[in-house]
Amino acid sequence: MQMDMDKPQIIELAAHSVNYTLFDAQFVPSSARLVALGNYARGTGAIEICAIEDGKIVVKKSHEKPAAFKCGTFRASSIEERSLATGDFKGALSVWDLERMGSPIYHANAHEAIVNCIDGCGGLGIGGGAPEIVTGGRDGCVKVWDVRQRDVPVANMGPADESDARDCWSVAFGNAYNDEERCVVAGYDNGDIKMFDLRTMSVRWETHLPNGVCSVQFDRKDIRMNKLVAAGLDSKFSVFDLRTQHKEDGFAAVTTVAHKSTIWCGKHLPQNRDIFMTAGGNGSLHLWKYKYPGKRVETLEDGTEKGVAGDVIELNRVSSSTQPIFSFEWSSDKEGLCLTTAADQTLRVMIVTRLNVQ
């Protein structure tokens, strides 16, 4: 099969096999290092700090902690500190100094059960307002944390009746275009998506997808909300246009079928918000571009405005693993550089070329 060199190419640069289950990996901001998170077979947590040297992933430090790690983010940290926030299987939120891993610099018993997902905002110079962390747990709660405030979340969005709690699988910050505005979107195991306005402490919008929502992400955190990608169990992802909200129909969306398996995550390229990657349960990566319609808003007969969804174009795809890809992360420092973790216990650094030619 001849490769079309005019398309963006998805190329593996380095791979590193580990002796634990990988759940997440993050690039350390403004460095050639990365951090891998997971759990050993005995139920303890694994943190490996690695460097990319001579085209290889080299382990610099390895740490074992009492609780298995599920997720992590640097997005609530300053570039100078580069502290890692993690969520674990015992429901704890911890913030770590990578140079002093003996004990966390911040710790909170965030959830009654596993912390499924985490995101940050206000750090790394991205997004207005104070640095904050959002976590979603199996207990159905979505909580926002400020590390300057010990033990108690600054916001807690949970079900009124605990018996109605749905497992929260994904969270994301967005709409942080000034010091006052900030939203959180959460995806749940029953297909619900809810957008919480943190300024008014209210549900700004909610919708329902046919199956569980594994991943949600705004195209940019630090602008007026523009687009949202939501991916799930039914081999589909939806792109919502967030600029115009109809009082009854909500936001316009385009839905695409891909991967022929669960889509575990969808992540936007930091340097171009219209390009994003989805990672599937069949071990494949699909690169997409969102094309805006000629008019993003239409006026209905009753005078109200309704959004118009665009189209999604596939730029390329590649089979990266024979097992599900659990996480995918773009580098904010090097355009096209990306990082994946998969169920085959392999950490992969990849590069996507020709992103400026579509």
Side-chain angles (χ1 to χ4, degrees):
M1 180 177 173
Q2 188 173 3
M3 184 180 294
D4 186 352
M5 297 305 296
D6 291 332
K7 292 182 177 181
Q9 303 301 317
I10 308 170
I11 303 166
E12 181 179 301
L13 294 181
H16 171 59
S17 295
V18 300
N19 62 345
Y20 56 90
T21 301
L22 282 161
F23 284 115
D24 200 2
Q26 300 284 323
F27 286 107
V28 180
S30 301
S31 79
R33 296 183 298 164
L34 53 94
V35 176
L37 302 169
N39 76 291
Y40 291 107
R42 50 186 170 271
T44 54
I47 296 185
E48 279 194 335
I49 303 171
C50 308
I52 304 171
E53 297 178 353
D54 299 324
K56 296 180 180 180
I57 300 173
V58 180
V59 178
K60 294 297 184 179
K61 295 180 181 179
S62 183
H63 304 276
E64 185 173 358
K65 298 300 177 181
F69 294 105
K70 183 65 169 65
C71 50
T73 184
F74 286 97
R75 295 187 184 94
S77 170
S78 67
I79 293 179
E80 292 79 18
E81 294 177 343
R82 293 184 287 192
S83 51
L84 175 69
T86 60
D88 67 33
F89 276 67
K90 292 184 178 179
L93 165 66
S94 302
V95 179
W96 306 87
D97 181 342
L98 296 184
E99 304 302 324
R100 301 172 182 84
M101 289 291 295
S103 59
I105 57 179
Y106 177 88
H107 179 86
N109 294 317
H111 295 270
E112 296 179 4
I114 180 175
V115 179
N116 287 319
C117 46
I118 193 169
D119 193 20
C121 191
L124 307 181
I126 299 173
E132 290 179 332
I133 299 165
V134 62
T135 57
R138 184 173 289 174
D139 57 7
C141 293
V142 176
K143 299 182 180 182
V144 179
W145 306 85
D146 186 329
V147 296
R148 298 170 299 181
Q149 178 174 305
R150 293 283 175 181
D151 302 324
V152 181
V154 295
N156 184 356
M157 290 77 74
D161 186 350
E162 291 184 3
S163 63
D164 295 332
R166 306 300 309 198
D167 203 337
C168 180
W169 282 356
S170 52
V171 290
F173 276 118
N175 204 43
Y177 61 90
N178 62 28
D179 291 346
E180 288 78 34
E181 296 288 342
R182 187 170 289 181
C183 288
V184 167
V185 165
Y188 298 84
D189 67 340
N190 64 342
D192 285 347
I193 298 177
K194 296 184 180 182
M195 180 185 292
F196 303 99
D197 189 321
L198 297 183
R199 182 176 62 85
T200 61
M201 285 308 299
S202 62
V203 178
R204 185 165 181 168
W205 167 73
E206 56 186 320
T207 189
H208 182 80
L209 299 184
N211 283 286
V213 181
C214 301
S215 172
V216 290
Q217 191 192 42
F218 290 90
D219 58 354
R220 286 269 297 274
K221 297 178 188 294
D222 55 347
I223 61 171
R224 291 181 183 271
M225 55 184 182
N226 184 57
K227 298 195 305 296
L228 175 81
V229 168
L233 293 177
D234 55 354
S235 304
K236 296 177 182 177
F237 67 86
S238 298
V239 182
F240 294 89
D241 187 313
L242 303 180
R243 282 298 167 94
T244 305
Q245 183 177 1
H246 189 265
K247 60 182 179 180
E248 294 179 0
D249 297 334
F251 296 113
V254 56
T255 300
T256 304
V257 178
H259 295 278
K260 298 181 181 179
S261 65
T262 295
I263 303 176
W264 285 106
C265 54
K267 295 294 181 71
H268 293 89
L269 180 69
Q271 296 83 4
N272 185 342
R273 67 188 185 192
D274 297 330
I275 294 176
F276 60 97
M277 186 81 81
T278 55
N282 61 353
S284 64
L285 295 169
H286 290 213
L287 185 68
W288 308 89
K289 182 177 183 180
Y290 183 82
K291 184 179 180 181
Y292 292 98
K295 292 178 63 178
R296 294 182 68 178
V297 181
E298 63 176 348
T299 303
L300 304 182
E301 293 180 356
D302 60 0
T304 60
E305 291 187 337
K306 182 179 179 181
V308 179
D311 296 318
V312 174
I313 303 167
E314 185 178 39
L315 300 179
N316 210 340
R317 66 173 73 177
V318 68
S319 180
S320 173
S321 171
T322 58
Q323 300 293 321
I325 297 174
F326 290 148
S327 73
F328 178 92
E329 193 69 28
W330 292 105
S331 168
S332 58
D333 301 312
K334 173 67 175 177
E335 185 179 69
L337 192 66
C338 51
L339 181 61
T340 68
T341 64
D344 60 2
Q345 295 184 317
T346 303
L347 182 70
R348 293 178 175 87
V349 175
M350 310 185 78
I351 187 75
V352 183
T353 65
R354 300 181 66 84
L355 285 168
N356 59 338
V357 181
Q358 301 106 29

